[in-house]
Amino acid sequence: MLTGIWSSDAPKNITAEAHVVQISVNAWGRAVAALTLATATASTHARPPVVFGQTWEPNTALSDEFDGSELNQQKWRNRHAWFMGKAPGLFKPDNVVVTNGNLELRTTPLDERFRSRWMASPSISSLRPIAGLGYYEARIKAAPSSLDSAFFLQIKSGQEIDISENYGLSVNHPDMQYQARSNTHWQNKRHTHLIGTIISPNTNWHVYGAWYKSPKEVQIYVDGRYVGSHNLQGDFTKSMYMIFDVEPSKEQGIPDVAALLANPRAYVMQVDWVRSWVLAKKR
């Protein structure tokens, strides 16, 4: 068995000091070796919270190391499950790239304008809405610009958990690059928000995680540290799609075509990996 020590800054219902997560090498395969080296820091390795009397089992359908040369189409579609993108952006499959061990979500000018849309935006979503109760975590480097780099769970009926929705460098609110932002939404009527402070900006690598604990509670973590909990305001009982995307934000400042062309890497969100678990039933 491999082990990973969990942070002592966890809330009271999660173990602190001297307890470890144990994950079967056979169950996780090669990814476990990268996951739980004892000498690694919280910013590079995922660790689900320890739950007394239960163990975590990998949810491989919603996990990916992005080590190949293209998106795994057995798990993902290279677009949003139903949304065309926030104007002036338009989701385009060609803006999703897997390279050098990372998923890259690139924003570029559209080759041809589509009505009021002139920006090609990236998104991927799981093939099916299968993200239910469990622990979800991804190592992400936000686009170093005013674009919204997001990792979330969602279904069309209006149930949404934004595990992270961050801005690498907001034009209008520069302090946001040091904020780990998380939200929940219910049918666009009820909302909850969490903002955590991080030492290094979102344009550095960080691990953003969520324990979707019950239909009433989601706990948020950044780099293995507990940030806070959402008291869900709605009937969060349905499984959701897992989605990564990058979208423009009028509030933060929308780059023009000249800016997109002048510095293309400023408009790329990177994802090193995403890993998911479900709690095994109590014996």
Side-chain angles (χ1 to χ4, degrees):
M1 305 295 286
L2 296 176
T3 61
I5 300 173
W6 180 245
S7 167
S8 60
D9 296 322
K12 63 183 180 180
N13 59 338
I14 295 177
T15 59
E17 310 174 353
H19 295 288
V20 297
V21 179
Q22 293 189 328
I23 304 172
S24 167
V25 175
N26 291 333
W28 192 256
R30 181 172 57 84
V32 171
L35 169 65
T36 52
L37 293 174
T39 57
T41 63
S43 64
T44 57
H45 294 281
R47 301 177 181 90
V50 175
V51 181
F52 289 112
Q54 292 182 267
T55 58
W56 291 100
E57 293 182 349
N59 180 351
T60 57
L62 292 174
S63 300
D64 202 326
E65 299 298 305
F66 300 114
D67 282 340
S69 59
E70 59 184 22
L71 194 68
N72 185 344
Q73 296 185 8
Q74 301 302 311
K75 295 185 178 186
W76 311 101
R77 55 168 61 87
N78 55 2
R79 61 189 185 280
H80 195 283
W82 66 87
F83 185 44
M84 67 186 300
K86 186 184 296 182
L90 179 69
F91 288 138
K92 300 292 287 185
D94 289 347
N95 286 54
V96 176
V97 178
V98 176
T99 182
N100 297 321
N102 296 323
L103 168 69
E104 290 196 355
L105 301 175
R106 302 173 177 178
T107 299
T108 61
L110 271 176
D111 293 335
E112 296 182 9
R113 291 182 66 98
F114 176 76
R115 298 176 183 171
S116 63
R117 298 170 186 262
W118 50 265
M119 178 185 290
S121 298
S123 178
I124 72 166
S125 63
S126 58
L127 296 181
R128 293 176 290 118
I130 55 175
L133 300 181
Y135 191 80
Y136 305 95
E137 198 161 36
R139 186 170 183 251
I140 296 171
K141 197 174 189 179
S145 63
S146 58
L147 300 178
D148 177 4
S149 298
F151 166 39
F152 58 105
L153 311 178
Q154 185 186 41
I155 52 175
K156 195 172 182 179
S157 63
Q159 177 180 309
E160 180 176 344
I161 297 172
D162 299 328
I163 299 172
S164 68
E165 188 171 14
N166 296 320
Y167 302 93
L169 186 60
S170 170
V171 172
N172 298 326
H173 304 281
D175 58 313
M176 281 189 172
Q177 65 178 313
Y178 292 97
Q179 294 179 355
R181 304 172 69 87
S182 172
N183 314 286
T184 71
H185 307 285
W186 174 254
Q187 296 183 347
N188 205 29
K189 297 176 182 178
R190 304 175 189 173
H191 315 274
T192 64
H193 308 280
L194 280 175
I195 300 177
T197 301
I198 52 180
I199 296 174
S200 62
N202 287 305
T203 48
N204 289 349
W205 287 104
H206 292 283
V207 176
Y208 303 96
W211 183 7
Y212 184 14
K213 191 175 181 181
S214 76
K216 293 297 182 182
E217 182 184 6
V218 175
Q219 295 181 352
I220 299 299
Y221 297 83
V222 178
D223 295 334
R225 294 180 178 273
Y226 173 72
V227 174
S229 294
H230 291 285
N231 179 16
L232 297 173
Q233 303 297 304
D235 184 24
F236 280 72
T237 56
K238 297 179 180 178
S239 295
M240 294 170 278
Y241 291 95
M242 177 181 284
I243 301 170
F244 293 87
D245 72 19
V246 181
E247 295 188 78
S249 168
K250 292 182 180 178
E251 180 183 356
Q252 310 310 324
I254 297 177
D256 57 19
V257 170
L260 295 177
L261 292 173
N263 188 9
R265 296 303 297 177
Y267 306 99
V268 178
M269 171 187 174
Q270 298 180 74
V271 183
D272 185 7
W273 46 254
V274 57
R275 297 169 184 159
S276 306
W277 292 265
V278 293
L279 273 175
K281 294 181 179 180
K282 293 181 180 179
R283 297 179 180 177

